[in-house]
């Protein structure tokens, strides 16, 4: 039976899932760094970056699968939806087989690509192999994950994520308690969680779509070409995003050394936390916007009003945590990794968090490029910006080998792209863009005021324990969320901010 407040349920379960994920990462990251060492731990996010590089290829098909399948299910076109499901899975099996070749080559020559301490070369290679295996399992499972999106049952996905995150923490504790801590276990845990995820996704698909079958007879080469043509721009976009956002650790390792990449990997934990917050809230709205587009088209006033609504809610929820990181970052690093230089980490942290102030208010707007299947122009521009990022960063590092340069160049280019190009481009597609920019302006005014007030109030505080840190953080959060209301919402907005299903 369809729940009337499904969006609210999706939102609540997503927030709970996010809190569990962040809580476990908050505990696990310093635990792993302490047991494995900063230099060794840095190779885990580097391995994930290599996975993201290869995912660019798989995105050509999979990035648009959710959109096309959701539209066909919304239009009750069962046969076409089954063909999309089966075609994507068949293509993914072929892709997984082909990706084995570069994966084996990378693992074999890894010590020639990266600066790896001799004592852990073998461990790092095995960990990379396990991480790559995890990626292949996730690739095969990805099409099954579409069912929760298509049926707007993200609460089920969130519940699964909670279980998997708890299981991940328990596996680490068990392995590190029984055996000597090794990087191999990091890869082993990742692969184990991927296998569990695949089993869960298959079960969920059978529950939500019992009448939909995935079979060889439904594979349609024409649909694979259609998805490939639509998704190629998402792959180009992902390549641009990788060049802009994800090559920092690799550049740090190659140009400066393993210790530099270790420092940057610590700093990136907080931005990764915030990215999780943003994506969690954003993912609640995307299925709903996709369904409105499927039924009413891109010029629908309902689509525009829901986009504004989602932008305001995402901005309200996710902006303040970014500001709290800027305000309390030094104290966080003092308590979290006391052996590191907290002032230096805070400088790096502020630089990496600044773009997320824009992302937290533009992510649903950016998501409209996928909903509308209008990703070509933004993707081409992003890849140009990404190439500029790599060139400028390497030229600057040739003059001065300072790790600050890496996030600084990336953040500046990132802010320009998401604050100027994206709202203008999406606004032009749907026929409205003034309010998208005005929202960003209001958020900027609120952010400046909150940081000013926060700095004044913080001068009288002494934060030496986690209890004090969380207590003052909660206090400032309450103040911030109250301050943000008049900047973000109108009186009519406050009356209408009720999560409810509007499409029967």
């Amino acid at each position: 039976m369809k729940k009337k407040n499904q969006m609210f349920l999706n939102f609540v379960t997503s927030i709970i899932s996010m809190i569990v994920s962040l809580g476990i990462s908050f505990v696990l990251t310093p635990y792993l760094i302490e047991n494995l060492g900063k230099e060794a731990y840095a190779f885990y996010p580097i391995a994930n970056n290599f996975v993201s590089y290869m995912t660019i290829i798989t995105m050509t098909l999979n990035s648009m699968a959710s959109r096309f399948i959701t539209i066909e299910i919304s239009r009750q076109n069962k046969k076409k939806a089954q063909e999309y499901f089966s075609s994507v899975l068949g293509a993914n099996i072929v892709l997984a087989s082909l990706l084995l070749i570069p994966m084996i080559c990378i693992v074999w020559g890894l010590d020639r690509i990266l600066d790896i301490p001799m004592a852990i070369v073998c461990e790092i290679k095995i960990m990379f192999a396990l991480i790559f295996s995890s990626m292949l399992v996730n690739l095969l499972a990805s099409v099954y994950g579409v069912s929760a999106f298509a049926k707007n049952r993200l609460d089920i996905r969130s519940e699964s994520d909670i279980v998997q995150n708890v299981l991940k923490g328990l596996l680490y504790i068990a392995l590190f308690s029984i055996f000597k801590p090794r990087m191999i276990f990091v890869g082993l845990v990742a692969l184990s969680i991927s296998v569990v995820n695949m089993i869960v996704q298959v079960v969920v698909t059978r529950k939500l779509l019992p009448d939909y079958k995935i079979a060889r007879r439904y594979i349609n080469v024409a649909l694979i070409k259609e998805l490939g043509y639509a998704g190629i721009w998402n792959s180009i976009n992902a390549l641009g995003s990788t060049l802009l956002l994800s090559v920092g650790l690799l550049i740090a390792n190659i140009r400066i050394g393993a210790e530099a990449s270790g420092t940057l990997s610590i700093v990136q934990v907080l931005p990764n936390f915030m990215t999780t917050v943003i994506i969690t809230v954003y993912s609640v709205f995307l299925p709903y916007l996709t369904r409105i587009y499927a039924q009413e088209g891109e010029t629908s006033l309902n689509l525009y009003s829901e986009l504004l609504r989602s932008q305001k809610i995402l901005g309200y929820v996710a902006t303040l945590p970014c500001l709290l990181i800027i305000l309390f970052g030094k104290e966080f690093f003092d308590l979290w990794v006391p052996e590191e230089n907290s002032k230096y980490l805070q400088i790096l942290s502020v630089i990496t968090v600044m773009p997320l102030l824009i992302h937290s208010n533009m992510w649903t707007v950016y998501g409209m490029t996928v909903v509308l299947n209008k990703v070509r122009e933004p993707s081409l521009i992003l890849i140009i910006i990404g190439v500029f990022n790599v060139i400028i960063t390497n030229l600057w590092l040739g003059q001065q080998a300072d790790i600050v340069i890496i996030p600084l160049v990336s953040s500046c280019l990132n802010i320009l792209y998401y604050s100027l190009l994206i709202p203008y481009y999406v606004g032009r597609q749907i026929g409205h863009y003034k309010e998208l920019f005005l929202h960003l302006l209001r958020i900027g005014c609120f952010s400046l005021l909150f940081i000013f007030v926060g700095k004044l109030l913080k001068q009288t505080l002494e934060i030496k324990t986690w209890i004090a840190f969380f207590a003052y953080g909660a206090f400032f959060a309450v103040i911030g969320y109250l301050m943000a209301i008049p900047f973000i919402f109108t009186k009519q907005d406050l009356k209408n901010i009720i999560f409810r299903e509007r499409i029967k």
Side-chain angles (χ1 to χ4, degrees):
M1 181 177 178
K2 198 172 185 65
K3 297 180 176 66
K4 294 181 179 180
N5 295 318
Q6 185 61 48
M7 186 179 285
F8 178 73
L9 180 62
N10 290 344
F11 183 81
V12 172
T13 53
S14 295
I15 292 297
I16 294 172
S17 173
M18 176 197 69
I19 292 172
V20 172
S21 175
L22 295 183
I24 290 175
S25 296
F26 174 77
V27 175
L28 276 181
T29 302
Y31 177 74
L32 293 175
I33 293 173
E34 181 181 353
N35 284 276
L36 299 170
K38 180 176 72 174
E39 290 186 12
Y41 172 78
F43 289 100
Y44 174 48
I46 289 176
N48 286 325
N49 282 350
F50 271 86
V51 167
S52 70
Y53 305 154
M54 286 181 281
T55 301
I56 292 171
I57 300 172
T58 67
M59 282 187 68
T60 300
L61 284 174
N62 292 278
S63 61
M64 299 301 285
S66 294
R67 176 190 183 273
F68 281 89
I69 293 172
T70 299
I71 287 175
E72 298 306 329
I73 291 176
S74 298
R75 294 171 177 170
Q76 298 183 345
N77 192 341
K78 180 180 175 182
K79 183 177 183 295
K80 193 73 172 290
Q82 290 180 140
E83 289 179 345
Y84 275 120
F85 267 119
S86 303
S87 300
V88 171
L89 180 59
N92 282 343
I93 292 173
V94 174
L95 280 173
S97 302
L98 294 175
L99 284 172
L100 279 173
I101 299 173
M103 286 178 175
I104 292 172
C105 293
I106 290 171
V107 172
W108 182 263
L110 195 62
D111 52 332
R112 296 178 180 86
I113 301 172
L114 300 175
D115 175 26
I116 307 175
M118 288 297 297
I120 59 172
V121 169
C122 184
E123 281 192 42
I124 298 302
K125 285 188 173 184
I126 295 174
M127 184 204 69
F128 264 72
L130 292 169
I131 295 291
F132 287 164
S133 300
S134 170
M135 179 226 167
L136 296 179
V137 174
N138 286 331
L139 174 60
L140 298 179
S142 62
V143 69
Y144 292 99
V146 174
S147 60
F149 181 97
K151 300 298 289 185
N152 197 24
R153 289 300 309 272
L154 299 183
D155 56 309
I156 296 177
R157 181 187 296 179
S158 297
E159 291 164 3
S160 170
D161 290 342
I162 291 171
V163 173
Q164 291 175 45
N165 276 298
V166 173
L167 178 60
K168 179 170 68 174
L170 293 176
L171 284 173
Y172 273 123
I173 293 172
L175 289 170
F176 281 29
S177 299
I178 297 172
F179 307 100
K180 178 184 176 181
R182 302 177 66 185
M183 288 300 296
I184 293 173
F185 296 144
V186 176
L188 186 61
V189 169
L191 178 57
S192 301
I193 296 301
S194 295
V195 172
V196 171
N197 176 64
M198 183 171 186
I199 295 171
V200 170
Q201 296 294 352
V202 171
V203 171
V204 168
T205 297
R206 290 177 177 174
K207 176 182 177 181
L208 294 180
L209 300 170
D211 298 328
Y212 286 73
K213 306 299 180 184
I214 298 178
R216 183 184 300 178
R217 67 179 182 274
Y218 291 125
I219 295 178
N220 187 326
V221 176
L223 294 185
I224 294 176
K225 292 180 179 178
E226 180 186 10
L227 285 168
Y229 180 78
I232 187 67
W233 297 108
N234 279 328
S235 291
I236 293 173
N237 182 81
L239 177 59
S241 181
T242 296
L243 294 173
L244 181 61
L245 302 173
S246 302
V247 297
L249 280 177
L250 187 61
I251 292 174
N253 180 279
I254 295 173
R255 294 299 304 271
I256 305 177
E259 184 177 355
S261 62
T263 299
L264 197 57
S265 68
I266 294 174
V267 171
Q268 287 185 346
V269 169
L270 288 178
N272 289 342
F273 281 179
M274 272 314 307
T275 300
T276 301
V277 174
I278 294 167
I279 292 176
T280 298
V281 181
Y282 155 78
S283 64
V284 173
F285 296 104
L286 190 59
Y288 192 57
L289 291 170
T290 303
R291 294 170 65 207
I292 294 176
Y293 167 75
Q295 296 183 8
E296 301 181 23
E298 64 185 48
T299 58
S300 162
L301 289 178
N302 190 26
L303 180 65
Y304 177 59
S305 65
E306 288 301 324
L307 174 61
L308 290 179
R309 177 171 172 263
S310 65
Q311 183 190 28
K312 290 181 178 182
I313 294 173
L314 177 58
Y316 181 73
V317 172
T319 297
L320 191 64
C322 293
L323 298 177
L324 291 175
I325 289 173
I326 294 172
L327 201 58
F328 289 100
K330 181 182 180 302
E331 290 77 10
F332 173 80
F333 289 118
D334 276 331
L335 295 168
W336 198 52
V337 281
E339 69 281 359
E340 300 292 331
N341 185 337
S342 61
K343 290 183 179 179
Y344 188 62
L345 292 178
Q346 172 62 352
I347 292 171
L348 292 170
S349 178
V350 170
I351 294 172
T352 54
V353 167
M354 287 299 292
L356 294 178
L357 283 172
I358 307 299
H359 289 188
S360 60
N361 291 277
M362 284 295 156
W363 210 284
T364 54
V365 179
Y366 177 75
M368 286 299 296
T369 62
V370 176
V371 173
L372 301 174
N373 194 18
K374 302 283 187 179
V375 295
R376 183 177 62 179
E377 288 84 354
S379 299
L380 290 173
I381 294 174
L382 183 58
I383 199 169
I384 292 171
I385 292 174
V387 170
F388 273 130
N389 174 58
V390 174
I391 293 173
I392 294 171
T393 299
N394 278 283
L395 289 176
W396 199 347
L397 286 173
Q399 303 296 320
Q400 181 183 359
D402 189 341
I403 196 174
V404 172
I405 293 170
I406 297 172
L408 181 61
V409 175
S410 172
S411 294
C412 290
L413 294 173
N414 198 339
I415 289 171
L416 289 173
Y417 178 76
Y418 285 97
S419 64
L420 297 179
L421 179 103
I422 290 302
Y424 172 75
Y425 179 77
V426 172
R428 193 181 66 184
Q429 300 301 318
I430 62 178
H432 310 274
Y433 57 81
K434 180 180 177 181
E435 187 62 31
L436 303 179
F437 282 107
L438 288 177
H439 170 77
L440 202 58
L441 180 62
R442 289 191 288 266
I443 284 291
C445 294
F446 159 69
S447 298
L448 291 174
L449 178 61
F450 178 78
I451 292 295
F452 176 75
V453 173
K455 288 286 186 182
L456 291 179
L457 294 176
K458 190 185 165 195
Q459 290 177 359
T460 62
L461 306 180
E462 184 174 323
I463 303 175
K464 301 294 183 183
T465 66
W466 281 117
I467 294 176
F469 177 84
F470 285 114
Y472 287 127
F475 173 71
F476 276 76
V478 172
I479 292 176
Y481 279 122
L482 290 175
M483 287 175 59
I485 291 174
F487 282 92
I488 298 176
F489 301 113
T490 64
K491 291 182 179 180
Q492 188 61 41
D493 288 331
L494 295 176
K495 293 179 181 178
N496 293 336
I497 300 297
I498 300 172
F499 295 98
R500 64 184 182 272
E501 199 67 47
R502 295 183 181 178
I503 298 179
K504 304 301 181 183

